[in-house]
Amino acid sequence: MPDPRPTPIPDSIERSKVPRHVGVVMDGNGRWAERRGLDRTAGHGAGEVSLVDTVYGALSLGMKALTVYAFSTENWVRPVDEVRYLMNFNQGLLQRRQHELHADGVRIVFSGRQDWRVPRRVLKNMNEAVELTKKNKKMTLNIAFNYGGRAEIVDAVRRLVSDKVSAARVDEKAIRSRLYHPELADPELIVRTSGEYRISNFLLWEMAYAELVFTDVLWPDFRREDLFRAVEEFQRRQRRFGGIVP
């Protein structure tokens, strides 16, 4: 399916310096709904349009990976009805969108624990999306689902123990190779919506040198133009990685 809303890339964006991998904390769905006198779940539903538009924006920029924070390990403490809605919504989202994204060359993967808390029907749809799109190379959409940055590091350490790696051989490379998706480059840019200034346990290992951009836009109002503005802000920054820019 072609981009439903093709948008010219601003001349201010230097295409050769677009971040290869961007992470997005999709926040503000509940507040968006409450401000309109709606149930919180209405905000989650409205966020689907934002997600699809952002994916196409990333594709138009030539990004190689986009990681979105869909459901955290902490979200299980939300009201039961909201958690149930989110499980059904994410399952329906995959059913509605996976073939569209597949046609546009997007590989879908998931980061997070696929444990007993995730309904089997949701896991089935996740596996179907991964299998359908596994050979696509245009861009990877990494959906962080039942994900926590600390949990990811814990799971990596557990793999080290399971692999019987000696203490002398444990280094950053050994840990990184056991993260959920070590084949993805570390994100160069992390965007958080809704005016909150925190990371909320997102990509803690991978974001060590990422640039952070915070926007007051609530996630259901976020569009590719907001992504473009975040990339423009990224390109204005000097990335020193601990060194000194001459």
Side-chain angles (χ1 to χ4, degrees), residues 161-178:
V161 174
S162 178
D163 293 341
K164 296 181 171 56
V165 178
S166 66
R169 296 179 61 191
V170 175
D171 55 15
E172 290 187 13
K173 182 178 180 181
I175 293 174
R176 193 189 189 289
S177 67
R178 289 166 174 81

Side-chain angles (χ1 to χ4, degrees), residues 140-160:
T140 296
L141 174 62
N142 179 25
I143 302 174
F145 185 78
N146 193 24
Y147 174 87
R150 289 181 175 179
E152 180 177 24
I153 295 170
V154 168
D155 289 348
V157 173
R158 286 175 174 169
R159 292 188 186 100
L160 284 169

